[in-house]
């Protein structure tokens, strides 16, 4: 990827730092430069990353193979064997999908961080956006990784207090009750591969969350812009100069809005699989986790992984749906901001041109901007509650 010259700002700095984390986790680079990594290190890590990807694929295949080799399982382990391979394959596909759309994702990030901020950037809106991205991303990573930590604690508790084995994942080998040294080393290796899988999957959300949050705040930025150009008519210049300046500013706003619409369309195209797959996994896993909790022996070491996984699924889905839903809300507020841009201060022939332009701009801004999952489910707070209720309803019917 060739680096491109651009004017740096706080948003580009954040995206640049996030991309460094993404590169360490996955070996992929979504920003427009090379993160100042020496070429020798870059090429070496790229080869290592390919080996890790192959190992992760084999790890998921080993999970599926456990249906044919693992027969002496506890109820909890049976539940894990059902929902883990299902969830892992779908979630890992997110990284493949974003990798396929890598160039488009890079262009979206560059447009949101650089192109749309060159002509107008409200510093307060940017400050709120950056704070929200940092909080959401940090909380997401911590909560999701907690699930793996608690599964490790459960496995360790089985070894220390129950004379069992360190079983975190059910794979084709080793057999769950095999206490040989080789089997123990194999289980530790499987746990490490699970962590590598999680880090790969996390990179997908390190892209989706900042993009959706940035897009919703770009609509807020446009609202500030359109309301601010009304101040042109308070300047100490002639009426004709005010009208000319206002017309130029209004045309710029329309262009910025058109670019923002393009970003929204590309986010739906590139992140749509992530939205859809995550909701499908959410419903299926929540139902299985509730069933698992109902039938578990309520021992703390058994309950913690279930609760941690349940919390991570609820939180991750909630954050994604609320961030995407904010795009719809902020885009819906844009027509009001355009109407309050001060167009009524124009006179004579200028008024006719401006009114036509305002009419076109408002008509375009009134078209709903909706991020969807599975092509039909609108991502919003109401949809999130519906999904949680649906999961519980399915559980109630089945159990």
């Amino acid at each position: 990827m060739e680096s491109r010259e651009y004017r740096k700002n706080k948003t580009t700095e954040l995206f640049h730092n996030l991309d460094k984390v993404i590169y360490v986790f996955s070996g992929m680079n979504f920003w427009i430069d090379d993160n100042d990594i020496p070429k020798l290190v870059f090429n070496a890590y790229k080869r290592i990353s390919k080996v890790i990807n192959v190992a992760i694929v084999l790890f998921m295949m080993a999970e599926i193979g456990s249906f044919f080799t693992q027969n002496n399982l506890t109820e909890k382990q049976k539940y894990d064997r059902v929902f883990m391979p299902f969830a892992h394959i779908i979630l890992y596909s997110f990284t493949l999908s974003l990798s396929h759309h890598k160039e488009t994702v890079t262009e979206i990030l560059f447009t949101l961080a650089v192109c749309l901020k060159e002509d107008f950037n409200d510093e307060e809106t940017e400050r709120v956006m950056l704070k929200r991205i940092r909080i959401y991303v940090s909380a997401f990573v911590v909560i999701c990784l907690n699930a793996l930590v608690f599964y490790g604690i459960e496995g360790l508790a089985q070894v220390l207090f129950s004379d069992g084995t360190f079983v975190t994942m059910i794979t084709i080998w080793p057999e769950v009750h095999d206490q040989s040294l080789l089997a123990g080393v194999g289980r530790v290796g499987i746990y490490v591969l699970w962590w590598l899988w999680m880090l790969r999957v996390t990179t997908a959300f390190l892209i989706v969350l900042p993009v959706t949050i940035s897009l919703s705040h770009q609509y807020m930025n446009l609202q500030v812009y359109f309301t601010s150009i009304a101040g042109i008519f308070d300047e100490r210049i002639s009426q004709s100069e005010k009208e000319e300046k206002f017309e130029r500013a209004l045309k710029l706003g329309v262009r910025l809005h058109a670019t923002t619409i393009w970003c929204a369309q590309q986010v739906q195209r590139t992140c749509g699989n992530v939205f859809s797959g995550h909701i499908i996994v959410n419903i299926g896993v929540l139902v299985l986790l509730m069933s698992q909790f109902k039938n578990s022996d309520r021992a703390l070491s058994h309950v913690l992984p279930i609760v941690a996984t349940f919390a991570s699924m609820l939180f991750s889905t909630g954050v994604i749906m609320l961030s995407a839903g904010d795009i719809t809300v902020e885009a819906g507020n844009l027509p009001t901001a355009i109407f309050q841009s001060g167009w009524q201060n124009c006179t004579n022939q200028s008024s006719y041109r401006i009114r036509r332009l305002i009419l076109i701009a408002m008509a375009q801004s009134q078209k709903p901007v909706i991020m969807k999952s599975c092509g039909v489910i609108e991502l919003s707070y109401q949809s999130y509650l519906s999904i949680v209720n649906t999961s519980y309803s399915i559980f109630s019917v089945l159990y």
Side-chain angles (χ1 to χ4, degrees):
M1 180 188 300
E2 295 184 4
S3 298
R4 294 159 64 177
E5 295 294 330
Y6 60 92
R7 183 185 301 172
K8 295 183 179 180
N9 55 46
K10 294 179 180 178
T11 304
T12 61
E13 182 180 350
L14 177 64
F15 284 179
H16 179 84
N17 292 333
L18 272 176
D19 192 62
K20 286 184 178 180
V21 177
I22 291 171
Y23 178 75
V24 172
F25 282 4
S26 68
M28 293 187 292
N29 180 20
F30 287 95
W31 189 235
I32 58 174
D33 52 38
D34 57 6
N35 288 322
D36 304 320
I37 299 172
K39 189 173 182 180
L40 182 63
V41 176
F42 183 89
N43 292 333
Y45 188 70
K46 192 173 181 179
R47 288 192 291 269
I48 293 173
S49 182
K50 290 180 179 179
V51 174
I52 293 174
N53 287 335
V54 172
I56 290 174
V57 172
L58 293 175
F59 160 70
M60 292 186 292
M61 292 175 63
E63 289 184 277
I64 298 173
S66 67
F67 284 94
F68 304 99
T69 61
Q70 302 284 5
N71 300 313
N72 191 17
L73 302 177
T74 64
E75 285 299 315
K76 179 184 179 303
Q77 290 171 341
K78 289 178 181 178
Y79 280 113
D80 285 345
R81 186 175 62 175
V82 171
F83 78 77
M84 285 296 188
F86 158 75
H88 286 175
I89 292 173
I90 294 180
L91 292 175
Y92 191 71
S93 70
F94 298 168
T95 63
L96 303 179
S97 177
L98 290 177
S99 178
H100 176 70
H101 295 291
K102 183 175 179 292
E103 292 184 2
T104 305
V105 172
T106 300
E107 194 62 34
I108 293 171
L109 292 172
F110 185 77
T111 302
L112 289 171
V114 179
C115 300
L116 287 170
K117 296 186 181 298
E118 287 179 340
D119 296 302
F120 181 81
N121 183 33
D122 180 60
E123 292 185 359
E124 178 60 22
T125 301
E126 183 181 38
R127 184 189 67 81
V128 173
M129 177 194 75
L130 296 176
K131 181 179 179 181
R132 188 178 180 192
I133 290 176
R134 291 189 182 101
I135 291 174
Y136 276 37
V137 166
S138 300
F140 179 89
V141 171
V142 170
I143 290 179
C144 288
L145 295 185
N146 270 346
L148 271 72
V149 171
F150 286 125
Y151 268 92
I153 292 174
E154 180 193 18
L156 190 60
Q158 292 295 317
V159 174
L160 297 177
F161 306 112
S162 302
D163 195 30
T165 55
F166 183 73
V167 177
T168 55
M169 292 295 304
I170 309 301
T171 53
I172 193 171
W173 178 89
E175 200 273 332
V176 291
H177 297 294
D178 185 352
Q179 295 189 341
S180 66
L181 177 61
L182 181 60
V185 172
R187 292 189 187 98
V188 173
I190 289 168
Y191 187 54
V192 171
L193 281 175
W194 193 14
W195 271 93
L196 293 174
W197 170 89
M198 176 58 82
L199 294 178
R200 286 291 197 274
V201 172
T202 301
T203 61
F205 297 101
L206 291 182
I207 290 293
V208 173
L209 281 176
V211 163
T212 52
I213 293 172
S214 297
L215 184 56
S216 66
H217 283 74
Q218 172 55 28
Y219 276 105
M220 294 172 63
N221 201 49
L222 284 175
Q223 294 169 40
V224 176
Y225 174 80
F226 279 109
T227 53
S228 68
I229 63 177
I232 292 175
F233 293 98
D234 296 328
E235 298 178 7
R236 294 184 178 181
I237 54 179
S238 66
Q239 178 66 19
S240 61
E241 289 176 319
K242 292 178 182 178
E243 291 173 355
E244 290 177 4
K245 187 175 181 179
F246 178 81
E247 186 172 351
R248 290 195 301 271
L250 185 59
K251 288 180 179 178
L252 174 60
V254 171
R255 180 173 64 80
L256 292 175
H257 182 215
T259 304
T260 305
I261 292 174
W262 176 85
C263 287
Q265 293 171 341
Q266 297 308 309
V267 168
Q268 177 65 63
R269 186 171 74 88
T270 57
C271 301
N273 291 337
V274 178
F275 298 148
S276 302
H278 198 68
I279 288 178
I280 292 172
V281 169
N282 177 277
I283 295 175
V285 171
L286 287 181
V287 171
L288 288 171
L289 285 174
M290 285 186 282
S291 305
Q292 192 178 59
F293 184 79
K294 174 179 175 293
N295 297 315
S296 69
D297 58 9
R298 301 296 194 278
L300 184 62
S301 61
H302 292 168
V303 170
L304 280 178
I306 297 174
V307 173
T309 306
F310 193 87
S312 67
M313 294 302 301
L314 285 179
F315 181 83
S316 60
T317 304
V319 167
I320 290 174
M321 296 192 71
L322 296 182
S323 299
D326 284 342
I327 297 172
T328 303
V329 173
E330 298 303 335
N333 293 332
L334 188 58
T336 301
I338 295 175
F339 185 78
Q340 296 174 344
S341 60
W343 58 272
Q344 70 276 6
N345 295 305
C346 296
T347 59
N348 302 325
Q349 189 65 25
S350 175
S351 176
Y352 174 72
R353 294 196 307 273
I354 294 300
R355 279 183 292 170
R356 289 184 61 190
L357 191 56
I358 284 289
L359 182 63
I360 294 172
M362 290 190 66
Q364 184 64 45
S365 65
Q366 287 174 336
K367 296 179 180 179
V369 180
I370 301 173
M371 298 292 110
K372 292 185 177 182
S373 169
C374 304
V376 292
I377 302 174
E378 297 182 8
L379 301 183
S380 65
Y381 177 74
Q382 291 78 11
S383 297
Y384 175 63
L385 293 180
S386 297
I387 287 174
V388 175
N389 290 334
T390 299
S391 301
Y392 182 74
S393 298
I394 294 174
F395 167 75
S396 299
V397 170
L398 295 177
Y399 299 95

